[in-house]
Amino acid sequence: MANDIEKLLGLPRSRITRIYNPIEPSLENWPESGSTPISEPYLFMAATFRPQKDLETLVAGFACCDNKLGRRLVIAGVRPDDAAFNQLLVRYNLNRGQVICLGFRKDTYDLIRGSDLCVLTSKYEGFSNFLLEAAALGKHIVATNCPGGNAELFHHYENSSTFAVGDHKRFAELIEQPRQDFSRSKAISALDQFSFSTFIDKFRAIIS
């Protein structure tokens, strides 16, 4: 992101300070276990049905994976009655038993925690708070290596796999991975640059 700003605005690197989105302080004390809103194993994605999010790659990849673990695909942010999305499911021979749309959810922490994998198929992102929250909860992430700031999260958080934008076949391979969560302590340690205290300290350094 710093490289992009340097090119777009012509600012010297010495005048650019990188300050990441912070992990919400409450997440650092989020319990290790709790209620799971969906009993079957599932992949989870929080996204709206917009071209940027490339939900066709999501659906196409899920449709062609072997799915030997019997996972469902759960999406927060897409309404169950979204006609265009339902047409997409029909095109790839998927049904409501396989794909669950929850609509808007203000709080997705329990859905993240209960998932086997957290996924994102975006064509581009500024910086995904969804992925940051998934990482803070120790989840394995499967996401595109799209332009934007997500690559900086993956640099710090190794419990992740990436694939090229639009490559639904590679996505299908990656979502066959078994569930492999980091412990909360390991996840938070890996994300020190995204902590709320680091966020505050860098702002203080700028305005002092």
Side-chain angles (χ1 to χ4, degrees), residues 132-152:
L132 180 57
E133 291 168 357
L137 291 171
K139 306 309 299 184
H140 185 84
I141 292 168
V142 175
T144 52
N145 55 3
C146 64
N150 290 344
E152 298 184 34

Side-chain angles (χ1 to χ4, degrees), residues 3-52:
N3 291 337
D4 292 341
I5 292 172
E6 185 177 20
K7 291 176 182 177
L8 288 171
L9 302 181
L11 290 174
R13 180 58 65 90
S14 60
R15 295 187 60 189
I16 300 173
T17 299
R18 180 188 291 111
I19 303 178
Y20 293 119
N21 293 2
I23 302 167
E24 291 185 29
S26 61
L27 281 179
E28 297 195 10
N29 298 314
W30 198 255
E32 289 276 2
S33 60
S35 61
T36 300
I38 298 171
S39 57
E40 299 85 355
Y42 63 94
L43 313 176
F44 181 60
M45 178 168 170
T48 54
F49 189 27
R50 296 180 180 176
Q52 168 198 348

Side-chain angles (χ1 to χ4, degrees), residues 75-101:
I75 308 170
V78 177
R79 301 190 318 272
D81 61 350
D82 189 305
F85 186 76
N86 286 330
Q87 289 174 5
L88 189 62
L89 296 184
V90 171
R91 191 185 316 159
Y92 287 97
N93 297 313
L94 293 172
N95 59 57
R96 281 290 172 216
Q98 298 164 289
V99 181
I100 302 172
C101 293

Side-chain angles (χ1 to χ4, degrees), residues 46-64:
T48 54
F49 189 27
R50 296 180 180 176
Q52 168 198 348
K53 301 300 183 179
D54 194 11
L55 296 196
E56 182 156 7
T57 291
L58 173 76
V59 170
F62 184 69
C64 74

Side-chain angles (χ1 to χ4, degrees), residues 5 27 35 42 44 54 56 59 61 66-67 76 88 92 102 110 145 165-166 170-171 176 178 181 185 193 195 197 205:
I5 292 172
L27 281 179
S35 61
Y42 63 94
F44 181 60
D54 194 11
E56 182 156 7
V59 170
D66 291 336
N67 199 12
L88 189 62
Y92 287 97
L102 301 173
D110 281 331
N145 55 3
V165 171
R170 179 58 178 157
F171 175 67
E176 295 288 355
D181 296 352
S185 59
Q193 287 298 309
S195 69
S197 60

